[in-house]
Amino acid sequence: MASPLSPARLRGSDVLRLGGTGLRARPLRAVLSALGIAIGIAAMTAVVGISSSSQADLDRALAALGTNMLTVTPGQTMMGKSATLPDTSVSMIRRIAPVLSATATGAVDDAHVYRTDKIPEGQTGGLAVMAAELGLLRTVGASLAGGTWLNAATARYPAVVLGWDAARRLGNVPAVYMLGRWWTVVGVLNRVPLAPELDSAALVGWQAASAYLGFDGHPTTVYTRAVDAQVEAVRAVLGPTANPSNPNEVKVSRPSDALAAQRATNATFTALLLGLGGVALLVGGIGVANTMVISVLERRAEIGLRRSLGATKGQVRTQFVAESLLLSLLGGAVGVLLGYIVTGFYSTTQSWPTVVPLWALVGGVAATVVIGAIAGLYPAIRAARLAPTEALAAA
């Protein structure tokens, strides 16, 4: 049994009540100090949330377009000259078992596209002319902004489908001029994220390119879709399959790798913003520490009285640490809420899904607990060291 002279133990509810009383006695100072913590936590939560929402939107786009597309292009010969893909490369690639579809485009270097026949030949506008196979749209995940795609009939005659940028530069014209002949515009593509080279191209049928534009029939880009689980295996055999005699003259790439690089760039930017949020959090912690130190100086009479009535040093330390923790938790809760609201607002304006990872919410609150404990530790120790007579005399 405890001795009658032993100090009473503080229960958890007593500690919370004491801590809350100290904050309610100085509400304006408590709010301003908590605001510093809230800004830091809100910044960190919003940065993580906006980054996660952006990645979720990117993942959604990739899921719609597919990450299983591989691109085969000619490389260079041993002499450093530009290589060519065999005419049979597309049909050979289609024989690979995990390949779902394969199609090709071929650059028509001698042809240029013009809005009218009055434009000088040198003013090409940087637009390319490409022969295209009929399965191109399905393989690259492209869609039409207007008109129709090439079919078995129009692919044999002077008909052209313009890429997004090509249509924007040429304007709303019913026909374009190429190699002394007018070509009817039958369709316009939307932007093609996984094959951006198509955006600034005029696409004609494979047979029409050979008949009217002097196309040699060699594909310059082969687009391949493979089973998701077999993408890397297909990638390893595409070179030897496309050009069995010279597999070293074939380049195989994955367009989605560029999107992965974009994601890595976003991650770097996120790390920078998280650093700024950490600085704001540090400033908020210093504000909490400053508030608690001043609170100790102002409340020396209270501390002396409590010590005279039997409060131990540990109980005084616990009281001030509890105040610091409550102050930080208040700021953390408000900060997490503000960060979530900012993320939701920004994601809505960008038409992104709102995604705030659970670890960011829990981590924000946990960070406030750590900051509150650190910020309140020194003032609490200082308060506990005050002797009852010294505290009462100073008051």
Side-chain angles (χ1 to χ4, degrees):
M1 179 178 293
S3 169
L5 298 178
S6 60
R9 293 184 178 181
L10 291 177
R11 294 174 298 179
S13 57
D14 296 329
V15 174
L16 290 177
R17 187 166 57 253
L18 282 172
T21 300
L23 296 183
R24 289 194 300 271
R26 299 162 182 81
L28 180 59
R29 182 180 297 168
V31 169
L32 293 177
S33 299
L35 184 61
I37 293 289
I39 291 174
I41 292 297
M44 297 180 69
T45 304
V47 166
V48 174
I50 291 174
S51 177
S52 299
S53 299
S54 174
Q55 289 187 10
D57 181 69
L58 180 59
D59 291 339
R60 184 174 61 179
L62 284 175
L65 295 173
T67 58
N68 59 343
M69 193 176 84
L70 299 169
T71 304
V72 178
T73 56
Q76 291 185 330
T77 65
M78 295 293 292
M79 304 302 294
K81 297 182 180 180
S82 298
T84 57
L85 293 175
D87 298 346
T88 58
S89 58
V90 179
S91 59
M92 292 293 289
I93 289 174
R94 287 174 181 156
R95 296 180 182 179
I96 302 174
V99 169
L100 301 175
S101 65
T103 189
T105 59
V108 185
D109 296 328
D110 296 332
H112 300 288
V113 57
Y114 302 95
R115 181 174 180 175
T116 71
D117 56 352
K118 307 300 182 182
I119 298 176
E121 292 186 2
Q123 298 181 11
T124 63
L127 302 179
V129 179
M130 296 182 182
E133 292 191 342
L134 299 183
L136 181 65
L137 291 194
R138 179 171 59 90
T139 301
V140 301
S143 61
L144 287 163
T148 60
W149 176 240
L150 300 170
N151 55 44
T154 56
R156 304 173 61 89
Y157 297 100
V160 60
V161 174
L162 300 178
W164 175 267
D165 289 334
R168 181 178 56 83
R169 296 183 194 178
L170 294 171
N172 186 18
V173 292
V176 294
Y177 191 74
M178 292 188 291
L179 279 186
R181 186 182 302 272
W182 287 97
W183 293 66
T184 303
V185 177
V186 297
V188 175
L189 297 180
N190 286 312
R191 292 191 183 276
V192 188
L194 293 182
E197 62 275 8
L198 301 180
D199 293 341
S200 58
L203 303 169
V204 301
W206 206 270
Q207 300 91 331
S210 300
Y212 301 109
L213 302 177
F215 176 51
D216 60 8
H218 290 285
T220 53
T221 304
V222 180
Y223 303 98
T224 304
R225 291 276 186 177
V227 176
D228 289 336
Q230 300 293 325
V231 170
E232 295 304 326
V234 171
R235 187 176 187 178
V237 300
L238 274 180
T241 304
N243 192 351
S245 59
N246 296 291
N248 59 309
E249 296 180 0
V250 179
K251 294 192 299 183
V252 180
S253 62
R254 188 173 181 175
S256 56
D257 288 344
L259 298 177
Q262 180 183 359
R263 180 178 297 176
T265 302
N266 290 339
T268 302
F269 185 65
T270 299
L272 174 61
L273 292 181
L274 282 176
L276 296 177
V279 172
L281 202 57
L282 177 61
V283 172
I286 294 174
V288 172
N290 181 62
T291 298
M292 297 309 299
V293 169
I294 295 176
S295 180
V296 170
L297 296 177
E298 291 181 344
R299 297 162 63 187
R300 285 177 294 183
E302 174 191 337
I303 296 169
L305 181 59
R306 291 198 61 219
R307 290 296 310 280
S308 300
L309 294 176
T312 64
K313 293 182 178 181
Q315 290 174 345
V316 173
R317 280 196 301 267
T318 301
Q319 175 187 351
F320 281 87
V321 169
E323 288 187 24
S324 179
L325 288 174
L326 287 175
L327 189 60
S328 298
L329 282 174
L330 175 63
V334 173
V336 166
L337 179 61
L338 286 177
Y340 189 88
I341 293 174
V342 169
T343 300
F345 175 77
Y346 186 81
S347 298
T348 301
T349 60
Q350 300 296 318
S351 299
W352 295 346
T354 301
V355 178
V356 181
L358 180 62
W359 65 262
L361 301 176
V362 176
V365 177
T368 60
V369 172
V370 174
I371 290 173
I374 295 175
L377 188 59
Y378 170 71
I381 294 174
R382 181 171 179 176
R385 287 178 177 175
L386 286 175
T389 54
E390 177 186 352
L392 291 172

